[in-house]
Amino acid sequence: EGHFEIRYYEGRKTKYENVGTDATEAINQRDKRQHLGEARVSAAEAGVTLNETEVRKTIKKEGARWVRAAQDRGATEAAEVGRLALDEFQDANPRLTYVDEITADSLVTFWNWLRKHGRSDRTIYNKHERITGFLKFADVDHKKWHLRAPRYEKALPVIYTPEQMELLLGACKRLYHKLLILILVKTGLRDQELQHLCWSDISFAEKKLRVRGKPEYGWKIKDSEQRDIPIPTDLLAMLKE
């Protein structure tokens, strides 16, 4: 894969530094190295010691580290959700390059951008929490801003009537789709748990299904605790078909 490199010299030795695939970031790194070199020369000529400050963290690089850290601990879903939230944050704040440029106003701008694009109050809150999680990872003390998280109204769950369930099941043209709905209704599995359910998780002899992580797919169960769920007789009969 192609990338940009900065050529520089240490004494008479030529060296190259990989600065990634983003052209803008590569130019920023080149200019920074050039300015630092000029500052070192000026300091040496003046007989003073140059106090070289810590390299500024870019949102792009820290964001990549943040996502990778989530992937490394097996939280693949959190990694993807976080990556999407950070992409939207940068879309809402296109002029921001460095982490230390992020302020409370940046978050408010993000909220407004999400509302403009039709996101619900609950979604805005969730994405705000993702971004503050990124800020914590990047060592940004966002709590000093005293900015309250966006509010949302907690909605009650939608409960389908027996008539609505009958219509829903009747609309299924394939037994597979009907089974998915019945498994959710009769076992109470979460969405991700159903998506990662395998035949090997079902014990027909014990009439149970076991909820467990699937490391081969990079997925872990919530609270990292396996559990067995009884399978009703009518559902078990359908699964045997």
Side-chain angles (χ1 to χ4, degrees):
E1 185 179 348
H3 62 269
F4 295 96
E5 291 186 347
I6 296 176
R7 184 180 62 186
Y8 63 100
Y9 302 93
E10 287 187 358
R12 295 183 178 181
K13 190 172 183 180
T14 304
K15 291 195 172 183
Y16 295 88
E17 178 185 358
N18 185 334
V19 289
T21 59
D22 185 85
T24 301
E25 176 63 16
I27 292 171
N28 288 336
Q29 291 295 325
R30 179 203 64 186
D31 292 345
K32 181 175 180 179
R33 180 172 284 279
Q34 181 178 346
H35 295 155
L36 181 57
E38 293 171 351
R40 285 171 176 165
V41 171
S42 298
E45 291 175 349
V48 298
T49 301
L50 179 64
N51 182 18
E52 298 185 25
T53 57
E54 183 180 353
V55 176
R56 296 176 74 186
K57 300 174 183 177
T58 65
I59 298 173
K60 184 173 182 177
K61 285 189 175 180
E62 281 300 289
R65 287 184 59 242
W66 177 53
V67 171
R68 191 161 52 250
Q71 294 171 336
D72 290 345
R73 65 173 184 269
T76 52
E77 184 180 1
E80 180 61 17
V81 172
R83 184 189 65 78
L84 291 174
L86 192 56
D87 284 348
E88 290 179 324
F89 177 80
Q90 291 182 283
D91 288 341
N93 295 277
R95 295 186 177 182
L96 298 182
T97 300
Y98 298 100
V99 172
D100 58 24
E101 294 175 330
I102 300 175
T103 65
D105 288 341
S106 307
L107 288 175
V108 175
T109 297
F110 180 45
W111 303 348
N112 293 334
W113 185 92
L114 291 170
R115 288 193 186 95
K116 184 178 178 181
H117 287 76
R119 306 297 197 276
S120 68
D121 290 342
R122 177 59 187 261
T123 298
I124 294 171
Y125 170 82
N126 289 340
K127 290 182 180 291
H128 166 84
E129 290 296 292
R130 297 293 178 183
I131 297 303
T132 54
F134 163 69
L135 293 175
K136 182 178 180 181
F137 176 86
D139 297 323
V140 176
D141 183 15
H142 64 88
K143 292 184 178 181
K144 68 182 180 182
W145 300 336
H146 302 293
L147 181 67
R148 293 187 62 177
R151 295 184 178 184
Y152 66 92
E153 184 177 290
K154 293 184 179 180
L156 293 173
V158 176
I159 301 177
Y160 295 106
T161 65
E163 292 78 14
Q164 290 173 322
M165 285 302 306
E166 187 176 345
L167 288 172
L168 179 61
L169 293 171
C172 295
K173 296 182 180 180
R174 294 178 55 194
L175 177 61
Y176 173 74
H177 294 147
K178 188 174 184 179
L179 269 174
L180 292 181
I181 295 172
L182 288 173
I183 290 173
L184 287 171
V185 171
K186 294 179 178 290
T187 66
L189 288 183
R190 301 181 177 96
D191 175 56
Q192 288 287 317
E193 293 172 345
L194 177 63
Q195 290 185 39
H196 291 87
L197 184 66
C198 299
W199 285 110
S200 57
D201 298 322
I202 298 173
S203 171
F204 290 98
E206 297 181 358
K207 299 181 180 180
K208 294 179 181 180
L209 68 81
R210 175 158 295 179
V211 180
R212 52 188 168 188
K214 301 294 188 302
E216 63 271 29
Y217 302 125
W219 179 74
K220 294 182 179 181
I221 58 178
K222 190 174 182 180
D223 301 325
S224 301
E225 185 175 343
Q226 296 184 1
R227 68 186 191 281
D228 288 331
I229 300 176
I231 304 176
T233 304
D234 57 343
L235 177 58
L236 196 67
M238 292 184 68
L239 290 168
K240 288 180 178 179
E241 292 181 4

